[in-house]
Short mmCIF file of all heavy atoms in Angstrom, two decimals:
data_model
loop_
_atom_site.label_atom_id
_atom_site.label_comp_id
_atom_site.label_asym_id
_atom_site.label_seq_id
_atom_site.Cartn_x
_atom_site.Cartn_y
_atom_site.Cartn_z
N ALA A 95 -25.54 -45.68 56.42
CA ALA A 95 -24.66 -45.59 57.58
C ALA A 95 -23.36 -46.34 57.36
O ALA A 95 -22.36 -46.09 58.04
CB ALA A 95 -25.36 -46.13 58.83
N ASP A 96 -23.35 -47.26 56.36
CA ASP A 96 -22.15 -48.04 56.08
C ASP A 96 -21.23 -47.35 55.09
O ASP A 96 -20.15 -47.84 54.79
CB ASP A 96 -22.52 -49.41 55.50
CG ASP A 96 -23.27 -50.26 56.52
OD1 ASP A 96 -23.07 -50.03 57.73
OD2 ASP A 96 -24.04 -51.13 56.09
N ALA A 97 -21.65 -46.21 54.55
CA ALA A 97 -20.85 -45.51 53.54
C ALA A 97 -19.52 -45.06 54.14
O ALA A 97 -19.46 -44.55 55.25
CB ALA A 97 -21.62 -44.31 52.99
N GLU A 98 -18.45 -45.29 53.37
CA GLU A 98 -17.14 -44.88 53.83
C GLU A 98 -16.97 -43.38 53.68
O GLU A 98 -17.44 -42.77 52.72
CB GLU A 98 -16.04 -45.59 53.02
CG GLU A 98 -16.03 -47.10 53.21
CD GLU A 98 -14.89 -47.74 52.44
OE1 GLU A 98 -14.06 -46.99 51.88
OE2 GLU A 98 -14.82 -48.98 52.40
N GLU A 99 -16.29 -42.78 54.64
CA GLU A 99 -16.01 -41.36 54.54
C GLU A 99 -14.89 -41.13 53.53
O GLU A 99 -13.90 -41.83 53.52
CB GLU A 99 -15.59 -40.81 55.91
CG GLU A 99 -16.73 -40.82 56.93
CD GLU A 99 -16.33 -40.12 58.22
OE1 GLU A 99 -15.23 -39.53 58.24
OE2 GLU A 99 -17.10 -40.18 59.18
N GLY A 100 -15.08 -40.14 52.69
CA GLY A 100 -14.08 -39.81 51.70
C GLY A 100 -13.12 -38.75 52.19
O GLY A 100 -12.97 -38.51 53.38
N CYS A 101 -12.44 -38.13 51.23
CA CYS A 101 -11.46 -37.08 51.54
C CYS A 101 -12.02 -35.73 51.13
O CYS A 101 -11.41 -35.00 50.36
CB CYS A 101 -10.14 -37.37 50.83
SG CYS A 101 -9.43 -38.98 51.22
N ALA A 102 -13.22 -35.41 51.61
CA ALA A 102 -13.88 -34.19 51.20
C ALA A 102 -13.23 -32.97 51.83
O ALA A 102 -12.72 -33.03 52.95
CB ALA A 102 -15.36 -34.23 51.55
N VAL A 103 -13.25 -31.87 51.09
CA VAL A 103 -12.75 -30.59 51.57
C VAL A 103 -13.92 -29.61 51.56
O VAL A 103 -14.64 -29.49 50.56
CB VAL A 103 -11.61 -30.07 50.67
CG1 VAL A 103 -11.20 -28.66 51.09
CG2 VAL A 103 -10.42 -31.02 50.73
N GLY A 104 -14.12 -28.91 52.68
CA GLY A 104 -15.23 -27.98 52.75
C GLY A 104 -16.55 -28.70 52.98
O GLY A 104 -16.60 -29.92 53.17
N GLU A 105 -17.63 -27.95 52.94
CA GLU A 105 -18.94 -28.53 53.20
C GLU A 105 -19.65 -28.88 51.88
O GLU A 105 -19.31 -28.35 50.82
CB GLU A 105 -19.81 -27.56 54.01
CG GLU A 105 -20.12 -26.25 53.31
CD GLU A 105 -21.02 -25.37 54.16
OE1 GLU A 105 -22.11 -25.83 54.53
OE2 GLU A 105 -20.62 -24.23 54.45
N PRO A 106 -20.63 -29.78 51.93
CA PRO A 106 -21.35 -30.13 50.71
C PRO A 106 -22.05 -28.93 50.09
O PRO A 106 -22.43 -27.98 50.78
CB PRO A 106 -22.37 -31.17 51.19
CG PRO A 106 -21.76 -31.74 52.43
CD PRO A 106 -21.04 -30.60 53.08
N LEU A 107 -22.21 -29.00 48.79
CA LEU A 107 -22.89 -27.97 48.02
C LEU A 107 -24.10 -28.58 47.35
O LEU A 107 -24.04 -29.70 46.84
CB LEU A 107 -21.95 -27.39 46.96
CG LEU A 107 -22.54 -26.33 46.04
CD1 LEU A 107 -22.70 -25.00 46.77
CD2 LEU A 107 -21.67 -26.15 44.80
N TYR A 108 -25.22 -27.86 47.39
CA TYR A 108 -26.43 -28.28 46.69
C TYR A 108 -26.64 -27.41 45.45
O TYR A 108 -26.41 -26.20 45.49
CB TYR A 108 -27.66 -28.13 47.58
CG TYR A 108 -27.78 -29.16 48.67
CD1 TYR A 108 -27.06 -29.04 49.85
CD2 TYR A 108 -28.65 -30.25 48.53
CE1 TYR A 108 -27.18 -29.99 50.87
CE2 TYR A 108 -28.78 -31.20 49.53
CZ TYR A 108 -28.04 -31.06 50.70
OH TYR A 108 -28.17 -32.00 51.69
N LEU A 109 -27.09 -28.05 44.37
CA LEU A 109 -27.65 -27.34 43.23
C LEU A 109 -29.13 -27.68 43.22
O LEU A 109 -29.52 -28.82 42.93
CB LEU A 109 -26.98 -27.79 41.92
CG LEU A 109 -25.47 -27.58 41.83
CD1 LEU A 109 -24.95 -28.10 40.48
CD2 LEU A 109 -25.10 -26.12 42.00
N LEU A 110 -29.96 -26.72 43.58
CA LEU A 110 -31.39 -26.94 43.76
C LEU A 110 -32.15 -26.54 42.50
O LEU A 110 -32.01 -25.40 42.02
CB LEU A 110 -31.89 -26.12 44.94
CG LEU A 110 -31.18 -26.37 46.28
CD1 LEU A 110 -31.54 -25.27 47.28
CD2 LEU A 110 -31.53 -27.74 46.83
N LEU A 111 -32.93 -27.45 41.98
CA LEU A 111 -33.76 -27.15 40.81
C LEU A 111 -35.17 -26.82 41.29
O LEU A 111 -35.86 -27.67 41.86
CB LEU A 111 -33.79 -28.34 39.85
CG LEU A 111 -34.59 -28.14 38.57
CD1 LEU A 111 -34.03 -27.00 37.73
CD2 LEU A 111 -34.63 -29.44 37.75
N LEU A 112 -35.57 -25.55 41.08
CA LEU A 112 -36.85 -25.06 41.59
C LEU A 112 -37.76 -24.65 40.44
O LEU A 112 -37.29 -24.16 39.41
CB LEU A 112 -36.60 -23.85 42.50
CG LEU A 112 -35.59 -24.06 43.64
CD1 LEU A 112 -35.32 -22.75 44.35
CD2 LEU A 112 -36.09 -25.12 44.62
N ASP A 113 -39.06 -24.83 40.64
CA ASP A 113 -40.01 -24.39 39.62
C ASP A 113 -40.40 -22.94 39.86
O ASP A 113 -39.83 -22.26 40.72
CB ASP A 113 -41.23 -25.31 39.56
CG ASP A 113 -42.11 -25.24 40.82
OD1 ASP A 113 -41.94 -24.31 41.64
OD2 ASP A 113 -42.98 -26.13 40.97
N ALA A 114 -41.37 -22.45 39.10
CA ALA A 114 -41.74 -21.04 39.17
C ALA A 114 -42.30 -20.65 40.52
O ALA A 114 -42.31 -19.47 40.89
CB ALA A 114 -42.76 -20.72 38.07
#
Side-chain angles (χ1 to χ4, degrees):
D96 295 334
E98 296 183 6
E99 292 187 7
C101 303
V103 174
E105 63 178 303
L107 178 74
Y108 286 81
L109 300 179
L110 304 167
L111 182 61
L112 307 173
D113 67 14

